[in-house]
């Protein structure tokens, strides 16, 4: 689910980048466990929404409809590749995708990318992905979303590796973590409630204020990965049985 909106262009009448063929899909595949299937599109596509899906954006502006439609197109293709019978992917009260039984997943969109990641629940306990333009956060957004310790760490990272928009990395990994968190806890998680640490090796950790229930016990630290490709920042986190890291 998204907690912010990005501009979207006009729909195009062609298909998402299937089969992991796009740069973004390949990048996400490197960030996530092998059991997760990712389908991405670099532009909007025009497909017919399921009636329940259409109702979710019935009052939305055209750009939001195009963004939503493309995300669902990616999600349906990912489910097809997963071997799951196709059906409606509704929208929950917090905007979260309502996946078929036995499936976990996440959808993201920003200017220039729409992507969906899905897996079977027995192989992956939860997954969250986020995409952002690789640009520094506006000052007011940083004030609202980064805690004082996170700002200090971002300052040190920016001095050491100035070519990375570290504040945006922290923002994005919190978005990805929230998308993993909500289906498991069914409760809001504020930006200020977590402590996120990002590392120059392409990994991150997020300390949670309350544990996530998993088949292997409670999880208080989410581990994930991030990458920059084609001007986009991609972040991903997944929980797999017996581990809380998306290491391959």
């Amino acid at each position: 689910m998204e907690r912010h909106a990005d501009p979207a262009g006009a729909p195009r009448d062609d298909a998402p980048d299937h089969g992991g063929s796009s740069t973004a899909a390949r990048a996400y595949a490197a960030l996530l466990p092998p059991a997760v299937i990712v389908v991405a599109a670099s532009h909007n596509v025009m497909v017919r929404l399921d009636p329940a899906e259409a109702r979710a954006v019935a009052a939305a502006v055209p750009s939001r409809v195009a963004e939503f439609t493309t995300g669902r197109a990616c999600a349906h293709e990912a489910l097809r590749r997963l071997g799951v019978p196709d059906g409606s992917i509704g929208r929950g009260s917090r905007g979260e995708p309502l996946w078929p039984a036995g499936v976990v997943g996440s959808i993201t969109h920003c200017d220039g990318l729409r992507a969906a990641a899905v897996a079977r629940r027995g192989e992956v306990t939860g997954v969250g992905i986020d995409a952002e333009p690789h640009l520094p956060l506006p000052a007011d957004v940083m004030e609202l979303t980064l805690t004082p310790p996170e700002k200090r760490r971002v300052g040190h990272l920016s001095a050491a590796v100035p070519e990375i928009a570290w504040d945006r990395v922290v923002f994005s990994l919190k978005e990805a973590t929230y998308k993993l968190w909500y289906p498991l806890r069914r409760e809001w998680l504020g930006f200020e409630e977590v402590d996120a640490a990002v590392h120059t090796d392409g990994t991150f950790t997020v300390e949670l204020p309350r544990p996530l229930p998993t088949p292997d016990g409670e999880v208080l630290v989410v581990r994930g990965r991030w990458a920059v490709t084609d001007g986009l920042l991609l972040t991903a986190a997944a929980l797999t049985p017996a581990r809380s890291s998306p290491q391959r």
Side-chain angles (χ1 to χ4, degrees), residues 33-36 82 84 100-105 118-127 184 214-216 238-243:
V36 180
L82 192 63
V84 173
V103 173
V104 298
V118 299
R120 294 185 181 275
R121 189 178 299 277
E123 297 178 311
V124 176
T125 305
V127 61
L184 294 171
T214 78
D216 300 300
L239 297 177
T240 53
R243 41 197 283 201

Side-chain angles (χ1 to χ4, degrees), residues 96-121:
E96 74 278 12
L98 300 178
W99 300 101
V103 173
V104 298
S106 181
I107 298 174
T108 190
H109 43 73
C110 73
D111 193 18
L113 182 68
R114 289 85 173 89
V118 299
R120 294 185 181 275
R121 189 178 299 277

Side-chain angles (χ1 to χ4, degrees), residues 52-91:
E53 295 171 347
R55 285 195 296 271
V57 287
V61 298
S63 60
R64 171 58 181 152
V65 174
E67 176 184 81
F68 180 93
T69 300
T70 304
R72 287 309 191 268
C74 290
H76 283 294
E77 172 61 17
L79 290 174
R80 186 193 67 78
R81 292 179 51 207
L82 192 63
V84 173
D86 202 13
S88 176
I89 304 171
R91 184 174 182 268

Side-chain angles (χ1 to χ4, degrees), residues 25 35 48 50 56 81 108 111 129 205 210 220 223 243:
R48 185 181 298 277
D50 172 276
R81 292 179 51 207
T108 190
D111 193 18
I129 63 172
T205 60
R210 298 174 295 283
L220 277 167
R223 295 176 173 85
R243 41 197 283 201

